[in-house]
Structures are given as C-alpha cells and as structure tokens.
Amino acid sequence: MFTIRVALLLAISAISVSASANILVNGSFELGNYTGSAGVQPIPGTSNILPGWSATNVDWIESYWTAQHGTKSIDLSRVFAGSVEQSFVTVPGTTYSVEFFFAGNPDGNPVVKNAQVTVDSFSQIYTFDTTGFSRPNIGWVQKSFSFVADDTAATLKFASLDATSFGPALDNVSVVAAVPEPATLACLGLGLVALSRRRASR
C-alpha cells in the first residue's frame, strides 16, 4: 500500500508541476540578440528576432522604460499598429489560463492605449490610460483570462489598435494548462491501485 501511495503522490506531483509551467517560449521577451540603442530596438516589418514570437512593427524595449519582469518588454506600436504572436501545442477540451502585464508608452498620444488579444475563439480589447504615468513608472497592471482549446494548437496574438509610435506596452506573458479536476486524479489513483493488484496476483 505504501508503494501505491508513493506512486500516486508522485503522479499527482508530476501533473501539478506540468500544469503550472508556462507553455510559452520567452514570455518576458528577455531572449534574443538585442542590438538596440537608447533603450529601443525597432522591429520593422515581420521578424522572428524574438525567440518564440513572430513580431510585426513593434519596438523591443530595454532601458527606455522599466520592464515589469527582467529588463525587456514590448511597445506594440512602431509608427504603425504592430503585433506579436506565438503558437503553441494544446489539448482539445483543456482549459488554459493566460496572464500578461499591460501598460502604455506615456510619451505620446493617444493617452488611452488600445490592444486586442486573441486566441482560439477568445477575443477581447484591453485599454490602458497613461495619465499620471512616466517611463520610470509606466503603471504595469496584470490581466488574465481563460480559454478552452478547440484544436491541437493555438496562436496567442497581441495586436495594437493605435497607429502611432507610442503604443500599448506588453510584458511577462504566460499560458498555463489547468490542473486536472479531482475526479481525474481519483481515476488516476484507482488505475494505480488496479495495476498494483494485478501485479500482486501474478
């Protein structure tokens, strides 16, 4: 019985660790060959300069303002409205939690920044009012939502809605699979017990 309990605890632990891990690559935009000057590296057109991400018309920010996590973040507008997106493997029917930190470049209009976030059937517009904020403190706020995967892959996209050089700011993005329901864990436990009994009967 001790062996069964140990196996069950190890299985549950493995599932929990797996479920809590960020599925995305480079969620804080720290990885990549940064060659910018004055704290900003322009990414014109469409580029894969950011590992894990496809970026279009954005600025890769280092020291221009204070990042929420690490030293780098993204301005989603570079002259024109830009975007970043990343595709990842999903399990159909599984619930995923998406979290990110959102703010806005305070150096120019519009005062209220706008960005659209899409993944599978989920689509929502987020706004951020830059009034009272500055580059040393741009006012990062955490946003989150959940979606249920409808295929074996999904693409998470953050797109600016502001055609300006002063766009929405993005950092510290994560996608996490939901922890299995208690009923699922119970079935796992029963399966381990049954397996142990079959081995014992032999």
Side-chain angles (χ1 to χ4, degrees), residues 30-73:
E30 299 298 305
L31 304 178
N33 182 25
Y34 183 87
T35 59
S37 61
V40 178
Q41 179 170 337
I43 303 179
T46 298
S47 170
N48 293 318
I49 191 173
L50 292 167
W53 297 93
S54 175
T56 303
N57 294 326
V58 301
D59 283 328
W60 190 10
I61 305 296
E62 185 179 45
S63 57
Y64 187 74
W65 61 55
T66 303
Q68 192 281 325
H69 180 268
T71 61
K72 298 180 178 69
S73 58

Side-chain angles (χ1 to χ4, degrees), residues 87-112:
S87 298
F88 50 94
V89 175
T90 55
V91 178
T94 298
T95 299
Y96 293 85
S97 175
V98 179
E99 294 185 350
F100 61 96
F101 283 81
F102 190 62
N105 188 331
D107 286 350
N109 290 323
V111 173
V112 178

